[in-house]
Amino acid sequence: AQSVTQLGSHVSVSEGALVLLRCNYSSSVPPYLFWYVQYPNQGLQLLLKYTSAATLVKGINGFEAEFKKSETSFHLTKPSAHMSDAAEYFCAVSPGFQKLVFGTGTRLLVSP
Amino acid sequence: EPEVTQTPSHQVTQMGQEVILRCVPISNHLYFYWYRQILGQKVEFLVSFYNNEISEKSEIFDDQFSVERPDGSNFTLKIRSTKLEDSAMYFCASSPRGGEAEAFFGQGTRLTVV
C-alpha cells in the first residue's frame, strides 16, 4: 500500500529563515505526490503537486518541492519564512486511483 | 473562483442520532470524496464516489455510513447512529478527474457527538 511519512510533528523557524518540511513516500509505482496546507479552522489548500513531469515543482506562496526517486523523498521548502506561513502542512500520495493518503502532518511555527 | 461548500460548519448531536452532512462540489467535477480528521490526528479517507456510485471506501466507512448525490448538485454523508468516536472534522472534496488531478476541499463540518 502506498503511504507517506512526515518527519517532525512540529518545526519551528524564525521569520526569514529557510523552511524545510520532510516527506518520504512508499510506493511500488510512480506516485502522484501533493502538499496541502491547513490554516487554523480552515480546509485543506493545495500548495503543489508532482505528477512525473518536472522533478522540481513550484507551488503557491513561494513554496517548492523536489521529487527524488533515489531517496523516495518529496521535501517541501521555502527560502524565507513569513509569519503567515504558520500552519499545518500535509504531504499526501495518490495511488493512481482516486483517494489521497495523507501523512500525519507537520505544524510549522514561525517566530518573529 | 469555484469552491466546495459544506453545511453546516458545526453540528452537535446526541449519541445514537442520525446526522446528514451536506456538500456542494464544484459544478463540473466528476469525483467526490469524504475525509475526516479526528482532532489532532491526520486526515483519513472515508469514501470516493463517481458516476453515481461508491468507487472506493475505507475500513472506517462501515454500515453506519452512507453517501448520496440526490439531485446532481449536492453530495451528502449520512451517519445513521452516531457514536462518540464519530466526533471529528469532516471534509468534502471534489476533483475533475481521479489520479493526478487536484482535489479541492471544502472548509469542513465539525461534528461533535455528545
Side-chain angles (χ1 to χ4, degrees), chain B residues 25-84:
Chain B
I26 294 173
S27 62
N28 61 345
H29 285 187
L30 301 177
Y31 293 82
F32 314 109
Y33 313 87
W34 284 100
Y35 291 81
R36 80 171 185 188
Q37 184 181 31
I38 295 172
L39 188 63
Q41 298 185 25
K42 68 177 178 180
V43 179
E44 301 173 289
F45 168 78
L46 290 178
V47 65
S48 59
F49 192 85
Y50 170 72
N51 200 26
N52 285 320
E53 61 182 23
I54 291 173
S55 48
E56 187 175 359
K57 60 183 180 179
S58 72
E59 293 177 354
I60 303 167
F61 195 88
D62 61 21
D63 292 344
Q64 293 297 314
F65 291 89
S66 63
V67 289
E68 196 176 37
R69 190 159 158 80
D71 56 12
S73 61
N74 290 286
F75 180 50
T76 62
L77 174 69
K78 181 191 291 186
I79 309 175
R80 289 190 184 82
S81 178
T82 50
K83 307 181 190 71
L84 294 177

Side-chain angles (χ1 to χ4, degrees), chain A residues 32-65:
Chain A
Y32 302 129
L33 292 161
F34 305 79
W35 275 100
Y36 280 85
V37 61
Q38 184 181 32
Y39 297 102
N41 300 315
Q42 293 191 25
L44 296 159
Q45 180 183 8
L46 181 73
L47 278 175
L48 48 81
K49 65 180 181 181
Y50 167 77
T51 59
S52 77
T55 56
L56 182 63
V57 182
K58 294 187 184 299
I60 63 171
N61 301 339
F63 285 93
E64 63 181 38

Side-chain angles (χ1 to χ4, degrees), chain B residues 12-27:
Chain B
V12 180
T13 188
Q14 290 196 328
M15 191 168 52
Q17 295 296 304
E18 174 183 287
V19 293
I20 298 176
L21 309 182
R22 302 181 191 278
C23 169
V24 179
I26 294 173
S27 62

Side-chain angles (χ1 to χ4, degrees), chain A residues 16-37:
Chain A
L18 171 72
V19 175
L20 171 61
L21 304 182
R22 299 177 187 274
C23 174
N24 288 89
Y25 69 89
S26 172
S27 174
S28 58
V29 298
Y32 302 129
L33 292 161
F34 305 79
W35 275 100
Y36 280 85
V37 61

Side-chain angles (χ1 to χ4, degrees), chain A residues 1-5 23-33 50 67-74 92-97 101:
Chain A
Q2 301 207 353
S3 64
V4 290
T5 301
C23 174
N24 288 89
Y25 69 89
S26 172
S27 174
S28 58
V29 298
Y32 302 129
L33 292 161
Y50 167 77
F67 174 76
K68 291 187 177 180
K69 185 177 178 181
S70 61
E71 299 177 8
T72 61
S73 68
F74 190 58
V93 62
S94 175
F97 300 106
V101 177

